[in-house]
Amino acid sequence: VHAVIIPVTPVSGQAGAVSAVSAVSADEIISWCRDNLAHFKCPKSVEFVTSLPRTTTGKVLKRELRQQLTAAAPTSARRS
């Protein structure tokens, strides 16, 4: 499992704004997931990106996201 995350910076004056998410490391995210989720649901790696591929209606294009991740992964890490 691979997590792809877009860091969000809260807007000043926004109600319920969380402290800057960009300060959270990948190890902290994985650790939190292991403490709060079933082990098989936890990501083994985390990648921070600035945007996700979306359709014209705003839905995430999971197919394109998978293609980007497999293209970026080393050959030995790919599934057959």
Side-chain angles (χ1 to χ4, degrees), residues 2-7 26 29 45-49 52 65 68-69 72:
H2 183 82
V4 179
I5 299 172
I6 300 175
I29 291 172
S45 60
V46 175
E47 181 179 342
F48 295 96
V49 296
L52 295 172
L65 191 58
Q68 290 174 3
L69 293 173

Side-chain angles (χ1 to χ4, degrees), residues 6-25:
I6 300 175
V8 177
T9 312
V11 177
S12 61
Q14 184 179 18
V18 183
S19 61
V21 177
S22 59
V24 177
S25 71

Side-chain angles (χ1 to χ4, degrees), residues 33-53:
C33 290
R34 291 198 176 176
D35 291 342
N36 295 289
L37 298 173
H39 184 69
F40 70 93
K41 292 182 179 181
C42 296
K44 294 180 180 158
S45 60
V46 175
E47 181 179 342
F48 295 96
V49 296
T50 56
S51 65
L52 295 172

